Amino acid sequence: MNSIVMQISRFFLGIVFLVAGINGYFVIFGLEPFIPTSPEAMALFEFDYLLVAEKTLEVVCGLLLLLNRFVPLSLALLAPIIVNILLLHLFLDRSFLILAILLSIAYGYLLFFYRENFKRIFERKPS
């Protein structure tokens, strides 16, 4: 059961971030995105390189999650992005709040599933 929920969570996060990353490249190249984007979110990207960096991370991490490779690394890289998504949709733009909550739940479950991989970063005195 845990393995099935983990696979679903990993697949869900992988698909969402791969599609969102590719969708962001449409915006970067001045094309109409195939999925509507939040105007409030896009206003936060004052500098183009930030959008390129975030969307590139989303594509790479989405692919890694779908391929089941370097999952803990992908989770670590996606942490600030997911927190930003949740806070943005909680306080500025409620249009994708349900998706932000689902992303947070799936992320939280994967973080719990891979908790052994993260225990060492919380050591007071690393060896």
Side-chain angles (χ1 to χ4, degrees):
M1 174 68 175
N2 284 342
S3 180
I4 294 171
V5 176
M6 186 276 297
Q7 297 292 342
I8 292 170
S9 296
R10 187 178 52 77
F11 187 75
F12 173 68
L13 282 179
I15 288 291
V16 167
F17 280 107
L18 180 62
V19 170
I22 292 170
N23 194 54
Y25 274 96
F26 280 81
V27 175
I28 291 167
F29 293 125
L31 304 171
E32 188 66 30
F34 56 92
I35 297 173
T37 58
S38 166
E40 287 83 357
M42 297 314 292
L44 295 175
F45 292 105
E46 183 178 339
F47 306 107
D48 288 339
Y49 75 90
L50 288 175
L51 186 60
V52 171
E54 181 183 347
K55 295 306 174 182
T56 301
L57 270 176
E58 288 179 4
V59 168
V60 169
C61 290
L63 282 172
L64 289 174
L65 288 170
L66 289 173
L67 296 172
N68 199 21
R69 300 286 185 253
F70 303 105
V71 175
L73 175 63
S74 296
L75 293 176
L77 292 173
L78 288 174
I81 295 173
I82 290 176
V83 169
N84 246 338
I85 290 169
L86 181 62
L87 293 176
L88 178 115
H89 292 296
L90 194 59
F91 295 114
L92 292 178
D93 178 13
R94 302 257 170 147
S95 63
F96 291 109
L97 183 59
I98 296 298
L99 179 61
I101 291 170
L102 291 174
L103 282 174
S104 299
I105 290 169
Y107 179 83
Y109 185 81
L110 285 175
L111 202 57
F112 177 77
F113 190 86
Y114 288 98
R115 66 189 176 276
E116 291 297 322
N117 298 87
F118 294 100
K119 279 187 175 180
R120 292 194 47 112
I121 63 172
F122 292 106
E123 290 180 357
R124 281 189 186 187
K125 289 187 173 185
S127 51

